[in-house]
Amino acid sequence: MSDTEQTLHMLRTRGEAFLEAISTAYHAAYAGLKAEPAIQPIYAKHARAFDDEAFAQTLELFKATEGKGSAEAIGETGDAATQRSSRLLLDWLIESRVGRELAALDEREMAWENSAVVRLADGTEEPYQRLPITLGNTRDVKVRHALDDARAKLVMSELAPMRQERLEREHDVVAKLGVASSYNATWEAVSGVSLSALRAECEAFLRDTQNMWDEVFPEFLKRGLGITPGEATRADVAALMRAPEFDPYFTAESMEREVRRQVTEMGTSPDAEGRVRYDTGEREGKRPRAFCAPVRIPDVVHLVLRPHGGQNDWMTLLHELGHALHFGNMSRALPFEFRWLGDNSVTEGYAMLFDHRLKDRGWLARYSGLGKQEIGAFLRYAGFEELHFVRRYCAKLIYETELHSGSVSFHALPDLYVEILTKATGFRYQRADAFVDVDARYYAARYLRAWQLQAVLDESLRHRFNEDWWRNPQAGPWIVEELFAYGQRELAHEQAQRVAQKGLSFAPVIAGVERMLN
């Protein structure tokens, strides 16, 4: 075994042991099975996985093979394979070093979220964790806004300072690692994604879809909530997207049954032969945001959902199932970095490929309770929802590039956040959320590229297996063998080229929205 092989073997063995331990702890806490995870002892036990020696060895491998990557991720050997592995390992080690340094802050924040209570002037109380569900199910606009104002007041005084401190300290940790000249340059180096290019695409998307948004936004506000754009705040988003008029067609009783039926008809196992465990019931302490928790890849993968009601639960289940089946069907022969790490635009692309079945006329007719008359109205609603979320994430990416650039003071960021997000979506945002509504390490970029990737994959599957590929028994095995089995060895744009000989862009995303709205 060469020195490089020995180094990689050591990094992989220690890294996988650490991630299995930390993922198990996070799953238990977020699923409401434990009050909070004990993060610091796990970091202490597995300190060698991301210590100075591990970091120095990985950075040395990365620098030694820089510029020797290839355009073909599958079948790489030699320096090209080492460059890909070392880049993914370096990306993870940066994240782990940040996590180790800020573990105490993370524990404090999670404990706060588990115990925080939002209190209104009239004495009404609502657990902070459940508030997104309550906002989505509250039809009275005054009550909804009062709840969110009380939430924002609590967040501004208690949670926002913790988040700001975390961001400032994260920037300091990354700067001291010396991988690149800035936080943004470091992220670009280890992700393989150009932030400036993606930001330009986002700015173009916002311009190109502005007229479409100006047309549909007032229509859906009036129809769904009886309010005007001038009245709309971010508190109204959950209620508007909740769309309770469609509840009778997306029942809780039939949700998991129909989703499992569809995946089975596609020719693959809906639980990856028992490796995926479903957890879709109500439980106190369970996070309102659903998640997929791989704790031993590919053998133990948890899919966790706290019900909100209606079609949102169906879409969420499908989204998390895309993740879960990806993790549960990865090849065991893949090294650690291609199973646990990599470009999360890929797994998010699979998740969106699955959740976009609720934007497919044929799928809705076969698996939901919608009739022909209701499907048209639902698809128009789905197009509006899609347009909103892509515009929101474009705005988040633009804001976060400013947040992480260091060119805007932390004091000025809340006003900039409100300006950018409100302009893009039409919903008035709260200054309190400027440091809370930030996904870790540019995850917004992963989501945006995932929207692009799913459009390419859907088009390719239609070409290979016809319009109803989602019930073609040949499609499932192809997805498992040609997509899921490779883990996340490829970057999203590399996979698009391999599978469809196409690049990533927002053009097919816009075309899909237009089809639904029309």
Side-chain angles (χ1 to χ4, degrees):
M1 187 181 289
S2 68
D3 289 345
T4 295
E5 290 171 332
Q6 287 180 334
T7 299
L8 288 172
H9 176 73
M10 177 270 292
L11 292 168
R12 289 163 175 164
T13 302
R14 295 175 182 173
E16 186 149 21
F18 167 72
L19 279 185
E20 286 186 356
I22 203 80
S23 298
T24 299
Y26 275 121
H27 163 250
Y30 289 167
L33 301 174
K34 292 180 66 176
E36 57 191 69
I39 301 172
Q40 294 183 79
I42 297 174
Y43 274 99
K45 180 179 179 181
H46 296 272
R48 296 186 68 193
F50 41 83
D51 62 11
D52 291 344
E53 180 186 11
F55 185 84
Q57 290 175 322
T58 306
L59 184 58
E60 183 180 354
L61 285 178
F62 176 74
K63 295 290 187 182
T65 56
E66 201 165 12
K68 297 181 180 180
S70 71
E72 299 291 334
I74 308 303
E76 281 178 328
T77 58
D79 284 347
T82 300
Q83 167 64 196
R84 186 175 297 273
S85 290
S86 63
R87 179 174 55 76
L88 298 188
L89 288 164
L90 185 61
D91 185 14
W92 170 70
L93 281 170
I94 293 169
E95 182 177 359
S96 298
R97 298 281 286 230
V98 170
R100 181 188 67 179
E101 294 295 323
L102 306 182
L105 264 180
D106 288 342
E107 286 183 347
R108 180 162 54 120
E109 181 183 319
M110 282 183 283
W112 182 90
E113 290 183 347
N114 283 336
S115 62
V117 175
V118 176
R119 294 180 175 86
L120 276 70
D122 64 0
T124 302
E125 295 187 351
E126 185 74 22
Y128 178 82
Q129 290 281 28
R130 189 173 172 79
L131 197 64
I133 299 174
T134 302
L135 287 173
N137 288 314
T138 299
R139 308 317 294 171
D140 187 304
V141 63
K142 291 182 179 179
V143 174
R144 197 163 56 241
H145 287 186
L147 274 168
D148 195 58
D149 287 344
R151 177 203 63 83
K153 183 178 179 180
L154 178 67
V155 166
M156 181 66 87
S157 65
E158 298 184 13
L159 180 59
M162 285 190 273
R163 287 291 183 91
Q164 180 179 339
E165 180 184 355
R166 194 191 193 287
L167 285 164
E168 290 176 327
R169 289 180 59 184
E170 179 182 354
H171 287 179
D172 290 342
V173 172
V174 172
K176 289 175 182 176
L177 293 175
V179 175
S181 59
S182 67
Y183 184 96
N184 285 353
T186 299
W187 188 86
E188 289 182 318
V190 297
S191 71
V193 177
S194 167
L195 283 171
S196 59
L198 184 57
R199 174 171 173 159
E201 288 184 70
C202 289
E203 291 169 341
F205 180 89
L206 291 173
R207 289 194 304 271
D208 294 344
T209 60
Q210 187 64 56
N211 288 340
M212 194 189 319
W213 183 246
D214 289 342
E215 179 183 342
V216 298
F217 183 49
E219 171 196 336
F220 278 88
L221 276 179
K222 183 178 181 180
R223 181 194 305 165
L225 300 177
I227 61 176
T228 65
E231 299 171 278
T233 77
R234 190 188 174 197
D236 300 311
V237 174
L240 184 57
M241 301 308 171
R242 174 70 179 77
E245 65 269 27
F246 297 113
D247 283 2
Y249 312 109
F250 296 96
T251 65
E253 295 75 24
S254 61
M255 177 179 69
E256 190 173 324
R257 182 190 71 232
E258 290 303 305
V259 167
R260 284 175 173 268
R261 179 166 77 94
Q262 181 254 298
V263 176
T264 300
E265 290 182 344
M266 194 172 69
T268 193
S269 168
D271 61 6
E273 307 298 342
R275 294 185 293 277
V276 172
R277 289 92 184 271
Y278 289 70
D279 176 3
T280 60
E282 171 65 21
R283 183 186 304 116
E284 282 299 319
K286 184 187 279 190
R287 293 293 170 104
R289 186 170 180 174
F291 64 96
C292 172
V295 300
R296 193 166 70 250
I297 299 174
D299 296 309
V300 180
V301 182
H302 296 279
L303 189 165
V304 183
L305 179 153
R306 187 172 187 178
H308 291 218
Q311 59 85 25
N312 282 342
D313 286 348
W314 284 54
M315 182 172 289
T316 301
L317 176 60
L318 283 161
H319 183 95
E320 299 306 330
L321 184 58
H323 286 307
L325 292 180
H326 178 210
F327 289 115
N329 284 292
M330 288 184 184
S331 169
R332 287 185 176 81
L334 289 173
F336 158 70
E337 63 270 22
F338 299 145
R339 285 179 292 116
W340 280 93
L341 313 179
D343 181 3
N344 282 339
S345 305
V346 173
T347 193
E348 293 295 348
Y350 300 154
M352 290 187 185
L353 182 67
F354 273 62
D355 74 36
H356 274 57
R357 292 319 92 214
L358 261 72
K359 297 173 171 63
D360 185 302
R361 184 178 296 272
W363 194 99
L364 292 167
R366 187 173 182 85
Y367 302 107
S368 79
L370 292 165
K372 289 183 179 180
Q373 185 174 354
E374 295 88 14
I375 286 179
F378 181 80
L379 283 174
R380 185 166 171 77
Y381 153 78
F384 167 77
E385 180 185 49
E386 176 96 333
L387 182 57
H388 164 260
F389 279 121
V390 181
R391 287 180 63 86
R392 166 173 152 74
Y393 269 87
C394 282
K396 274 171 62 68
L397 189 281
I398 293 168
Y399 166 69
E400 288 174 14
T401 58
E402 297 294 333
L403 182 154
H404 291 302
S405 70
S407 61
V408 181
S409 71
F410 274 84
H411 176 74
L413 283 167
D415 288 333
L416 182 64
Y417 167 79
V418 170
E419 177 188 344
I420 292 174
L421 272 293
T422 300
K423 182 179 179 181
T425 67
F427 294 99
R428 188 172 69 256
Y429 273 63
Q430 301 264 21
R431 295 180 76 255
D433 295 319
F435 307 125
V436 176
D437 185 23
V438 176
D439 295 322
R441 302 189 71 235
Y442 278 118
Y443 211 83
R446 310 297 190 184
Y447 281 130
L448 289 161
R449 284 162 54 83
W451 262 299
Q452 297 175 337
L453 179 61
Q454 70 80 24
V456 170
L457 294 177
D458 184 50
E459 186 178 83
S460 180
L461 286 162
R462 290 174 189 273
H463 176 74
R464 293 172 187 273
F465 303 108
N466 295 324
E467 292 294 308
D468 58 351
W469 60 262
W470 32 264
R471 70 182 185 102
N472 187 322
Q474 295 180 329
W478 185 88
I479 290 171
V480 168
E481 293 165 13
E482 296 297 325
L483 300 180
F484 293 166
Y486 288 114
Q488 293 197 141
R489 185 180 187 120
E490 299 167 296
L491 296 171
H493 60 270
E494 293 172 332
Q495 185 178 98
Q497 283 292 340
R498 175 176 65 86
V499 171
Q501 295 76 55
K502 291 188 176 182
L504 298 179
S505 79
F506 282 120
V509 178
I510 294 174
V513 170
E514 289 175 335
R515 282 195 301 271
M516 287 185 280
L517 290 175
N518 295 327

